[in-house]
Amino acid sequence: MVSQVLPFRVNEHIVSELIDWDRVPDDPIFQLTFPQRGMLDQEDYEHIRCLLRREAASHLIGDAANAIRLRLNPHPAGQLTHNIPRLGGRPLPGLQHKYRETVLFFPGGGQTCHAYCTYCFRWAQFVNLPGMKFEAREADDLAAYLKAHPEVSDVLITGGDPMIMKTRLLRQYIEPLLTDDLAHVRNIRIGTKSLSYWPQRFVSDPDADEVLRLFEDVVRAGRQLAFMAHFSHPVELEPAITREAVRRVRDTGAEIRIQAPLIRRVNDRPDAWADLWRTGVSLGMIPYYMFVERDTGPNRYFAVPLARAHEIFRAAYRRVSGLARTVRGPSMSAFPGKVRVLGVAEIADERVFVLDMIQARKPQWIRRPFFARFDPEATWLDDLEPAFAERFFFEEDAERSEADSPIGTWR
Ligand SMILES: *Cc1c(COP(=O)(O)O)cnc(C)c1O
Ligand code: SF4
């Protein structure tokens, strides 16, 4: 029923290596990959069930599924409206440029994954919602855009999962970035869950060695190949083949950073995070972000209140050595920027959240502390009310400068 609406895909590695079937349905990787009834509202669930029961025509089921999908905030935080850059007036739908230093690139060949996470914030990429998919067919637009933007130091190739692509195709996207006229592009990042979901990609797939050669070429060109590896739970680091894949990727000179959202039923315990960071560090990886589950898709099933998210972060952070305290969070990728919950404080008899931005549409907003009224139920920035002020400082600032399209405000 649920997979009529939300994407579902799993594979042999996950089913036999990662899920502990004695713990199903509570097993974290089962919750991470298998659709759960609670992900749909009762009413929506019944509606789909009814259509399937009476063997309705597939276009009717499709229409019903699309209506539900559109109510699930398929593109949060202004992704379709505010982050798409232009080149000579022409929009480039396969690119996003929200923060000055980093351009996101969505190659057309990389818009699926080896398996789908139930909580995926990019879920709209995997279902056929008309007009809801961003992807690029050409690497030329990317290179041309970067030539015109010397302030960009990082390209993040993302999806979906770019590591779903064969090496030959991936090389066609990456090689043009290594030329001398794009020397300002210092870091090539790849956002991927392949080390968890399909470590075979780097060990035993037919072009496993070839992809390692590509990473070596990036490093030899004097750039950093930064693997932004999505790991949700320490159990994903256990298989021997995953450790072998990590070792092989690192041997190319690439750096691996680990990040994931905090998800109820998957990793909402401090021990899970402390273990993940500790084991990650001992395998040579760098803890990077703990995200707050975004306000999209079946978010209500997975959301953890901000107050609890901060407690979990702090409890885990306390338990690890300084080498793992490179991690930042809990962070919301919200409309104005990446908003971090720094803590809860009592100020002038009022209980407040202390927040700041790690990334922002306007660089002058970064690392400026601000306050919101404490609310134990709040799960997202939109739920928060400013404390000691009528508005949040960035709302006033956005209005003053009428910075409707952020792209360009810092130029
Ligand atoms: C997180 C993010 C980045 C990268 O931010 P870093 O803090 O440099 O890792 C870039 N673009 C978007 C839209 C992001 O959400
Ligand atoms: S790997 Fe990333 S893009 Fe793919 S399903 Fe999981 S969260 Fe979504």
Side-chain angles (χ1 to χ4, degrees), residues 25 36 61 143 157 167 170 176 187 252 270 291 361:
Q36 305 295 322
I61 299 172
I157 304 173
T167 305
L170 190 59
N187 307 305
T252 68
F291 295 114
R361 287 184 184 274

Side-chain angles (χ1 to χ4, degrees), residues 192-199 202 227 229 231 242 245-246 249 256:
T192 180
K193 197 160 173 71
S194 53
L195 283 170
S196 163
Y197 280 171
W198 197 247
F202 309 98
F227 236 65
F231 283 112
T242 302
V246 168
V249 169
I256 307 175

